[in-house]
Amino acid sequence: MASSPLCTWLVAACMSVTADNEFSPKPSMVQCSKRLSRWGKRRRVLAQCSDFARGGSISSSIQGLVSSCLAFEPCDQYCSSKGLSYSAFFGDNALSSLFGSKSLPLNRRQRRTNRGSHSGETMAVAVQPAKEVTTKKKPLTKQRRVVVTGMGVMSPIGHEPDIFYNNLLEGASGISEIESFDCSHFPTRIAGEIKSFSTDGWVAPKLSKRMDKFMLYMLTAGKKALADGGITEDVTDELDKSRCGVLIGSAMGGMKVFNDAIEALRVSYRKMNPFCVPFATTNMGSAMLAMDLGWMGPNYSISTACATSNFCILNASNHIIRGEADMMLCGGSDAAIIPIGLGGFVACRALSQRNNDPTKASRPWDTNRDGFVMGEGAGVLLLEELEHAKKRGAKIYAEFLGGSFTCDAYHMTEPHPDGAGVILCIERALAHSGVSREDVNYINAHATSTLAGDLREYQALVRCFGQNPELKVNSTKSMIGHLLGAAGAVEAIATIQAIRTGWVHPNINLESPEEGVDMDLLVGSKKERLDIKVALSNSFGFGGHNSSIIFAPYK
């Protein structure tokens, strides 16, 4: 078995030797070779190989093979008075290494090296070690900084960043009875519902009739963020659109479009909306916004339940830091206040049933909390590379320093009992941002008004930041409810507004704090003045997804 590749190699190697002055063939042998038929040559080769395999002399088999089969005279280097030897082809130790019982078979690289050692001077040159190729290392460059230059929001208490945040500072609640459908047969009949919404001037009327509401919220908030960032038509024309991207996600996607398609299917598939599949997918909002803007940079969506927005924001910033984009629209959008959405969360036993007093229903850290309140809307940030923003004279709201993600790997809906995943996430976010824990003096908490979640997060915050006397913590959800995949982006806008204004909004409905909760750490029932050094915003989602992102004043 070992002789077969050897013979094949010998024929191939010797047939490839160039016939120059040093390897000139003898005329008689050339004439003889011409008279040999191809089949005759093949038979001779096979015969020699068979002899070799039956235990014949290695030296005689190879010498016979060369003399009978080759049309070219072997080079003088290997034609000594002692004749051809195996060691002349493969080296003195080749026999034991190739056929010895204790040796492993030669690998492809070894066979290739050995192959060149017997073909004369021409092949000897070919197998000379190539000069080591040295690649120049990429020169170190200063890390690109990421800043926020635009914000767009759709929420139950305002569709403009300033209106939205002023209502938060005043403690105005956007939670009320659901009006978009009859929910009288549900045990929960309240939500943070957007009562009035128009796409006029933002989305084409034809698309407005076909798209799911989560996409309409996303497109509107995205374009508002561009307008807020000073991206006019003239500026748009000057942008390198291959370096502008969109990364806006959704936890639930187009539930209304998909639900309507199922109802239509009960009659016939012919009644189904042909856009039901694309308009139900979570990525289509980002895709449609990019099509409208002509932005050809990174474009996709991330769906990690209620942590979606933070995942999108951090990944968008990474595209800018790595030099893959100069400008990114990022955030999240959700519109799940429909029968199937409400019913699904009711079945999870996750929602508050304080129907008689909606504005008091969402009450993070309060002993009388009985579940979270669904909300809807969208939040979009315009992130931009610092020098790019300065070059076009953009207004800079804050700097994005970084963040992190972790997974509890514990339970689908319940937080880890000791908060290990949250603590790890916060610590990694601080390390990624290059921020010390003493510098963080404001936290916009995830706090949803659930029994286990609020307390676990609070305990994790205390373990990470200790009893920092300057630290203040609040929950935007106390006034707008839980916007699911949009929550992180809307709360990021609240965080940036707190940095801009120097005011942090209150925690409403915190009338009877959970035992062990320090009210000196939490913002009270009224807004408080705070000179923010570094702000952290948390978002956690079903599946154990943890995310923390960090902002600071631009300096």
Side-chain angles (χ1 to χ4, degrees):
M1 293 299 293
S3 65
S4 178
L6 174 64
C7 295
T8 305
W9 165 76
L10 284 171
V11 175
C14 294
M15 291 291 286
S16 66
V17 178
T18 26
D20 53 15
N21 293 333
E22 190 175 358
F23 304 106
S24 57
K26 292 183 179 181
S28 60
M29 294 186 70
V30 174
Q31 293 173 1
C32 179
S33 65
K34 290 181 179 179
R35 288 193 293 269
L36 290 176
S37 66
R38 184 175 299 176
W39 172 245
K41 291 182 183 179
R42 192 174 301 168
R43 290 181 62 186
R44 288 173 185 267
V45 172
L46 293 175
Q48 294 295 334
C49 289
S50 299
D51 292 340
F52 184 83
R54 285 194 295 271
S57 168
I58 295 175
S59 177
S60 61
S61 297
I62 296 176
Q63 189 172 9
L65 175 65
V66 172
S67 62
S68 62
C69 298
L70 299 183
F72 300 107
E73 181 182 19
C75 62
D76 295 335
Q77 181 178 350
Y78 296 102
C79 290
S80 63
S81 58
K82 295 180 181 180
L84 294 172
S85 66
Y86 186 85
S87 62
F89 281 86
F90 295 100
D92 295 334
N93 298 323
L95 182 61
S96 61
S97 64
L98 181 61
F99 298 106
S101 59
K102 294 183 181 181
S103 301
L104 295 174
L106 293 180
N107 59 34
R108 182 177 298 176
R109 183 174 181 181
Q110 291 169 323
R111 291 200 300 270
R112 189 182 297 118
T113 303
N114 289 340
R115 192 176 298 161
S117 65
H118 69 281
S119 302
E121 294 177 359
T122 302
M123 290 198 71
V125 173
V127 296
Q128 297 253 343
K131 291 183 179 179
E132 185 177 354
V133 179
T134 57
T135 56
K136 292 183 179 180
K137 292 183 178 180
K138 186 177 180 181
L140 294 175
T141 57
K142 187 177 180 180
Q143 178 168 311
R144 290 156 59 93
R145 296 170 66 181
V146 181
V147 293
V148 181
T149 56
M151 298 180 288
V153 64
M154 301 298 300
S155 80
I157 57 172
H159 305 336
E160 301 295 337
D162 289 341
I163 296 174
F164 161 71
Y165 197 64
N166 286 336
N167 283 328
L168 286 178
L169 292 177
E170 295 301 319
S173 175
I175 298 170
S176 60
E177 293 184 4
I178 297 172
E179 298 177 1
S180 57
F181 64 94
D182 181 12
C183 57
S184 58
H185 57 291
F186 286 95
T188 294
R189 299 183 292 276
I190 56 175
E193 187 178 42
I194 294 177
K195 303 299 185 182
S196 59
F197 168 65
S198 174
T199 60
D200 292 348
W202 302 107
V203 183
K206 189 175 183 179
L207 289 176
S208 294
K209 295 178 181 179
R210 293 177 173 176
M211 285 183 175
D212 190 275
K213 195 179 288 185
F214 98 95
M215 293 177 67
L216 296 177
Y217 289 160
M218 185 187 298
L219 290 172
T220 304
K223 290 187 176 181
K224 285 187 174 183
L226 285 179
D228 185 54
I231 307 298
T232 61
E233 290 185 9
D234 293 338
V235 175
T236 300
D237 293 338
E238 296 176 0
L239 294 176
D240 181 355
K241 295 183 180 180
S242 67
R243 298 184 58 79
C244 299
V246 185
L247 209 175
I248 309 174
S250 175
M252 310 299 288
M255 294 187 70
K256 178 68 164 56
V257 167
F258 203 74
N259 183 74
D260 291 347
I262 293 174
E263 294 300 320
L265 184 60
R266 296 179 188 277
V267 179
S268 170
Y269 73 90
R270 294 184 176 87
K271 299 292 185 180
M272 293 176 67
N273 180 354
F275 297 96
C276 67
V277 170
F279 283 176
T281 57
T282 59
N283 73 299
M284 199 52 63
S286 276
M288 294 297 292
L289 184 53
M291 293 175 200
D292 200 348
L293 301 174
W295 285 16
M296 301 173 66
N299 185 284
Y300 56 100
S301 70
I302 297 172
S303 184
T304 49
C306 304
T308 291
S309 287
N310 279 11
F311 274 69
C312 291
I313 292 169
L314 181 52
N315 277 275
S317 72
N318 286 337
H319 284 297
I320 296 174
I321 292 171
R322 292 195 298 261
E324 299 163 355
D326 295 324
M327 187 179 290
M328 293 288 297
L329 284 170
C330 56
S333 178
D334 259 318
I337 304 177
I338 58 174
I340 191 172
L342 181 65
F345 281 111
V346 165
C348 289
R349 300 179 181 179
L351 298 182
S352 170
Q353 298 183 17
R354 197 183 292 265
N355 299 309
N356 296 328
D357 197 1
T359 61
K360 299 286 187 179
S362 184
R363 42 197 318 115
W365 300 298
D366 190 83
T367 53
N368 294 316
R369 64 191 185 280
D370 65 334
F372 77 85
V373 179
M374 286 181 67
E376 63 179 355
V380 177
L381 300 181
L382 177 62
L383 297 185
E384 196 167 351
E385 194 273 325
L386 176 59
E387 297 304 320
H388 187 275
K390 290 165 65 176
K391 185 177 180 180
R392 69 178 187 86
K395 182 178 181 180
I396 297 175
Y397 292 131
E399 182 170 4
F400 180 79
L401 300 183
S404 182
F405 318 127
T406 60
C407 180
D408 279 346
Y410 172 73
H411 191 273
M412 282 190 298
T413 58
E414 293 295 319
H416 198 285
D418 62 6
V422 175
I423 294 170
L424 180 62
C425 185
I426 293 172
E427 290 177 345
R428 286 182 174 176
L430 293 172
H432 178 257
S433 305
V435 171
S436 65
R437 61 189 67 208
E438 292 79 13
D439 291 333
V440 177
N441 64 341
Y442 171 58
I443 296 174
N444 189 297
H446 178 67
T448 60
S449 186
T450 56
L451 295 175
D454 291 5
L455 195 55
R456 296 290 179 270
E457 182 183 13
Y458 175 84
Q459 291 168 345
L461 293 177
V462 170
R463 286 186 60 179
C464 287
F465 298 98
Q467 301 298 322
N468 184 348
E470 296 183 0
L471 183 64
K472 288 296 180 180
V473 181
N474 62 10
S475 172
T476 305
K477 293 182 181 71
S478 63
M479 285 171 272
I480 63 173
H482 191 353
L483 274 59
L484 309 178
V490 172
E491 290 160 15
I493 292 172
T495 302
I496 294 165
Q497 290 287 65
I499 292 173
R500 289 183 62 208
T501 63
W503 289 93
V504 292
H505 69 71
N507 288 301
I508 68 169
N509 303 324
L510 185 51
E511 299 164 353
S512 178
E514 179 78 37
E515 183 178 356
V517 172
D518 183 3
M519 282 304 297
D520 289 335
L521 187 65
L522 302 180
V523 183
S525 58
K526 300 291 183 180
K527 65 181 180 181
E528 296 184 20
R529 172 69 73 176
L530 184 64
D531 181 16
I532 298 175
K533 299 175 184 176
V534 176
L536 181 144
S537 180
N538 285 332
S539 283
F540 314 131
F542 282 0
H545 301 294
N546 305 308
S547 62
S548 299
I549 56 177
I550 297 177
F551 298 90
Y554 166 65
K555 295 179 181 179

